[in-house]
Amino acid sequence: MGEKNYHDNPLVKIWNVIYPIFIYYVISNVAMYLFLFALQITEETYSQSYTMLQTIATALCLPVLLHFYRRDQLLCTVFQQRLHHGAAEIKLKRKILNCVLTFCGGALAGLALNQIISATGLIQVSEGYRQVTSHFYGGGILFEVLGVGILIPIAEELLYRGIVYGRLADWIGIPAAMAVSALIFGGLHMNLVQFLYAFLMGLLLAYFLETTHSLSGCICAHLGANLLTLFRVESGALSFLEAGPGAYWGTTAAAAALAALLVLVLYRCNRAEAQY
């Protein structure tokens, strides 16, 4: 009885949500500082080395995050049982289609959100955002693709959707967990521009997780969003998006409409699969 009361204690539940985030950031930051010291990186070369350091630190965090997530799976929480039973109803072809739909949906939604947020002028007044951008997109294409494009999305989805959202969903229910996990995800980006982007994307990513009954759904969407942004920044191939107001808002509306269409297709496909 005492053990049950302990686990039902709100403070314990809050701690269970918070400590994986705390451990992730401790490991990540300690690893980065150790590599800064070991490689004798100076302030002048920090920006060029940041993406490499973040990539290595994220790779070191992945086994820890996987441990937390697998432990939650073994505990057979309500959230994990829901994912398991839902995934069991989905055939392999549908799972592959889900990955394609979420990847494209995440990329298009990310593009539309970036366009809308850019139009507000917040980027120009957010020094924190400009500093983060200069760090992430100034360290060479190899580590940008490996870190920003692949490892960081996987790590963040394991943490914020697989662990944080999952534990919140068992505690406060799905709608509230979507909102709270998205707020945490946005808030920890530490600047207003990324907060708005990450909060709105966090809601969509949690929806993808629930719809596909798999962590791969939100991982693919996050990969799509980050890789498209990286492609846009480094290649300049999408410069036509800023050719004028017509092109800017036309492509923004088209990206948002296509993302919404893919969300609808994803929902109907998975509902039909579950009914079948």
Side-chain angles (χ1 to χ4, degrees), residues 130-153:
R130 293 197 302 274
Q131 185 178 19
V132 168
T133 301
S134 67
H135 287 164
F136 270 123
Y137 302 113
I141 192 65
L142 174 63
F143 285 107
E144 287 177 15
V145 172
L146 183 60
V148 179
I150 299 174
L151 291 182
I152 290 175

Side-chain angles (χ1 to χ4, degrees), residues 216-275:
S216 62
C218 53
I219 288 175
C220 286
H222 202 151
L223 288 170
N226 280 28
L227 287 170
L228 181 60
T229 299
L230 184 59
F231 174 74
R232 180 179 183 178
V233 170
E234 294 295 349
S235 72
L238 301 181
S239 58
F240 67 89
L241 296 177
E242 301 173 8
Y248 189 93
W249 289 111
T251 52
T252 301
L258 285 172
L261 178 62
L262 289 174
V263 168
L264 178 61
V265 170
L266 185 76
Y267 169 74
R268 289 189 172 179
C269 287
N270 285 278
R271 183 182 65 174
E273 185 81 9
Q275 289 174 348

Side-chain angles (χ1 to χ4, degrees), residues 50-60 143-144 146-148 151:
Y50 180 85
T51 307
M52 176 191 71
L53 296 172
Q54 187 66 62
T55 300
I56 296 170
T58 302
L60 293 174
F143 285 107
E144 287 177 15
L146 183 60
V148 179
L151 291 182

